[in-house]
Amino acid sequence: MFVYPIWWGAMPALLKGFIDRVFLPGFAFKYRDGSVLWDKLLAGRSAHLLTTMDTPPWYFRWIYRMPGHNQMKRTILEFCGIRPVAVSSFGPVRGAAEPKRQKWLAEARAHGQRA
């Protein structure tokens, strides 16, 4: 499970730096000699992304086309064989009423207990 905010359409730089240093060839994937294909060394695992944002999730999906979700889900985790990758988006956080925030926290807590 990865829990992070969406900043400027994507994950924070600190999370990206962590992924760059951990999801390395030989651990997360392995290129095949003489082939454009690769081995997905993390196959058989699943992930869940819990993201917060100030953009309404519908706008992030339909207008921006979810660049941060696609980056993490498709080009990082699924590239390494991790699937399925579920995504839960909470937002817009800024200005959200307390009952809404409590609902999001309960949902995040439930996902965490299932992990």
Side-chain angles (χ1 to χ4, degrees), residues 20-102:
D20 289 346
R21 286 163 184 78
V22 174
F23 284 57
L24 297 170
F27 170 74
F29 63 95
K30 181 182 177 196
Y31 291 117
R32 297 178 186 171
D33 291 335
S35 175
V36 297
L37 301 177
W38 65 98
D39 294 320
K40 300 175 179 188
L41 301 180
L42 299 179
R45 293 166 176 82
S46 63
H48 196 138
L49 311 178
L50 300 180
T51 65
T52 61
M53 60 184 78
D54 282 334
T55 303
W58 68 266
Y59 195 90
F60 189 71
R61 177 185 186 109
W62 297 109
I63 305 303
Y64 292 149
R65 301 297 215 197
M66 306 183 306
H69 294 357
N70 289 328
Q71 177 188 28
M72 187 67 157
K73 181 177 179 172
R74 293 188 179 131
T75 66
I76 296 172
L77 299 176
E78 290 179 356
F79 179 88
C80 299
I82 299 172
R83 67 174 22 191
V85 178
V87 180
S88 297
S89 299
F90 304 106
V93 173
R94 189 172 50 113
E98 186 62 25
K100 186 69 168 175
R101 290 176 186 239
Q102 291 303 318

